[in-house]
């Protein structure tokens, strides 16, 4: 049997009971040149029985003998993959009908790119929302067309959220660059950036192929001992990728801006940073602001710019007051200004 084109690596952490839907969306694809490697460890978040595994030969289950979290599960699945490309999904993802065929056709037309970026949507509160990078991908696609490029040709791509489930990664690139997810939460951040920097042939597919149906926006399952504070380690690893490479200097403002946006997003997201940990998280973020601030960086305008400014100065109390004021204004606006 010939090797598949695409190996789909799927950690089996199923906190929301969506693994079966994810697998259904994969196995119902019209393109059949793929394999699915479901990685399960002893965590109670992983089911004892994986749907379809006994009935469909395209699905294999890799069972680990220790609880390791999403990152190391993905590493184990990638090590077992036989396809030319790797696609990393989570149990709360659903593939769009025709997604794998679209990927296969784009790979063929682009003559085996090392990295293929595509769009995604989010299902939340019964509505489908475009992914955070939809506008950015459209802008780059308008300039790059159907051809391949390097990230230095489009530094703005580092301003997109660093995810691994909205891209197809060549397994050769994965092995040649010794790509691997580190320990901790937000483990995909340095991997996404390393793949972007290393790939000499990147191509875009301006189509939404994956839908995320995560009912909770906190990190699904980290390795034992992981925490939200791992986010700082992941960005330190990411900036280390630029060190000693003058050709990457033009990328620093984009990576910096994305880092600060990510910190502010996590800081504001309910359930991510406990009330007791908020001062410490804020000041760690402020320290990174000063450490990695590139020369000539321009803060965004409006409310986002105010947050950048308060973080730059380490003004935690003022930041919290500004947030409470915004919440109050939003509440008043929601009542139509009535008391």
């Amino acid at each position: 049997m010939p090797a598949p084109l695409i190996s789909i690596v799927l950690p089996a952490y199923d906190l929301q009971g969506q693994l079966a839907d994810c697998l259904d969306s994969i196995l119902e694809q019209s393109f059949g040149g793929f394999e699915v490697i479901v990685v399960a460890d002893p965590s109670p978040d992983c089911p004892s029985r994986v749907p379809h595994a006994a009935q469909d030969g395209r699905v294999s289950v890799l069972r680990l003998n220790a609880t390791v979290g999403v990152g190391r599960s993905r590493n184990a699945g990638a090590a077992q993959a036989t396809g030319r490309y790797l696609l990393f999904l989570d149990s709360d993802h659903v593939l769009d009908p025709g997604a794998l065929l679209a990927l296969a056709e784009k790979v063929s037309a682009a003559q085996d790119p090392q990295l293929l970026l595509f769009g995604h949507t989010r299902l939340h509160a019964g509505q489908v929302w475009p992914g955070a990078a939809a506008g950015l991908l459209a802008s780059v696609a308008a300039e790059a067309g159907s051809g391949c490029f390097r990230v230095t040709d489009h530094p703005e791509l580092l301003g997109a959220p660093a995810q691994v489930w909205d891209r197809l990664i060549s397994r050769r690139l994965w092995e040649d660059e010794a790509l691997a997810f580190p320990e901790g939460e937000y483990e995909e951040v340095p991997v996404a950036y390393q793949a972007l920097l290393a790939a000499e042939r990147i191509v875009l597919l301006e189509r939404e192929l994956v839908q995320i149906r995560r009912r909770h926006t906190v990190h699904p399952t980290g390795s034992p001992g992981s925490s939200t504070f791992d986010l700082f380690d992941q960005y330190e690893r990411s900036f280390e990728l630029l060190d000693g490479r003058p050709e990457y200097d033009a990328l620093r403002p984009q990576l910096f801006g994305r880092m600060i946006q990510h910190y502010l997003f996590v800081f504001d997201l309910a359930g991510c940073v406990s009330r007791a940990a908020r001062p410490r998280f804020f000041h760690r973020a402020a320290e990174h602001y000063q450490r990695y601030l590139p020369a000539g960086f321009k803060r965004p305008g409006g409310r986002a710019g105010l947050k950048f400014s308060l973080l730059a100065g380490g003004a935690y109390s003022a930041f919290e007051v500004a947030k409470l004021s915004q919440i109050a204004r939003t509440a008043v606006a929601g009542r139509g200004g009535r008391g």
Side-chain angles (χ1 to χ4, degrees):
M1 180 180 295
L5 176 67
I6 300 172
S7 293
I8 301 173
V9 178
L10 178 58
Y13 302 104
D14 194 21
L15 291 136
Q16 300 174 162
Q18 297 176 318
L19 180 59
D21 290 341
C22 177
L23 284 167
D24 285 344
S25 76
I26 297 170
L27 299 177
E28 291 169 1
Q29 295 285 311
S30 59
F31 176 77
F34 67 87
E35 65 177 356
V36 185
I37 303 169
V38 181
V39 187
D41 69 16
S43 164
D45 296 333
C46 292
S48 58
R49 177 183 172 276
V50 174
H52 304 294
Q55 296 82 25
D56 197 309
R58 295 172 295 180
V59 180
S60 63
V61 180
L62 174 60
R63 293 203 173 272
L64 307 179
N65 58 13
T67 300
V68 297
V70 171
R72 289 178 60 186
S73 291
R74 287 174 176 156
N75 291 339
Q80 185 167 297
T82 62
R84 283 165 46 204
Y85 288 90
L86 300 172
L87 176 61
F88 295 99
L89 297 179
D90 292 326
S91 63
D92 53 15
H93 295 153
V94 174
L95 280 183
D96 186 69
L100 296 186
L101 179 60
L103 290 173
E105 290 176 343
K106 188 65 177 181
V107 162
S108 176
Q111 299 181 342
D112 298 323
Q114 295 169 301
L115 189 65
L116 193 165
L117 308 178
F118 53 85
H120 72 275
T121 59
R122 290 179 177 268
L123 180 65
H124 179 68
Q127 295 187 23
V128 176
W129 304 87
L136 177 58
L137 290 180
S139 175
V140 174
E143 292 186 26
S146 59
C148 292
F149 56 87
R150 294 201 65 181
V151 72
T152 48
D153 300 321
H154 295 282
E156 63 269 31
L157 282 173
L158 273 81
Q163 298 152 344
V164 294
W165 39 264
D166 59 0
R167 60 203 64 200
L168 200 64
I169 303 175
S170 160
R171 187 160 62 91
R172 177 172 294 181
L173 178 71
W174 182 270
E175 294 172 350
D176 288 349
E177 296 298 322
L179 290 169
F181 295 95
E183 294 284 353
E185 295 188 12
Y186 305 100
E187 72 295 321
E188 61 189 340
V189 169
V191 172
Y193 288 129
Q194 188 178 355
L196 266 177
L197 295 169
E200 297 183 356
R201 292 173 49 79
I202 304 172
V203 69
L204 294 181
L205 178 56
E206 196 183 350
R207 177 175 166 183
E208 291 76 28
L209 301 183
V210 172
Q211 183 175 94
I212 180 169
R213 299 183 174 186
R214 188 168 300 161
R215 288 192 290 267
H216 303 287
T217 49
V218 296
H219 192 278
T221 305
S223 55
S226 62
S227 80
T228 304
F229 282 78
D230 297 334
L231 183 60
F232 300 108
D233 298 330
Q234 309 303 10
Y235 274 101
E236 288 179 2
R237 292 184 175 102
S238 300
F239 270 97
E240 286 173 1
L241 298 170
L242 308 182
D243 292 343
R245 302 288 297 272
E247 68 272 26
Y248 289 161
D249 285 348
L251 306 178
R252 289 183 179 274
Q254 298 290 344
L255 180 56
F256 176 82
R258 179 65 244 171
M259 176 184 73
I260 299 305
Q261 289 179 46
H262 200 168
Y263 290 169
L264 292 172
F265 174 80
V266 169
F267 188 68
D268 283 340
L269 190 62
C272 274
V273 184
S274 70
R275 183 176 180 179
R278 287 178 69 80
R280 184 162 62 96
F281 187 98
F282 185 91
H283 290 299
R284 280 286 303 274
E287 189 273 326
H288 270 198
Y289 195 112
Q290 296 300 328
R291 187 196 310 183
Y292 294 113
L293 177 65
F297 176 77
K298 294 183 179 179
R299 297 171 187 163
R303 191 186 312 159
L306 174 61
K307 290 183 176 182
F308 270 60
S309 179
L310 292 173
L311 183 63
Y316 172 71
S317 296
F319 189 98
E320 293 288 52
V321 168
K323 180 182 178 182
L324 289 173
S325 298
Q326 177 59 36
I327 292 173
R329 287 194 296 269
T330 301
V332 170
R335 294 196 301 268
R338 297 186 299 271

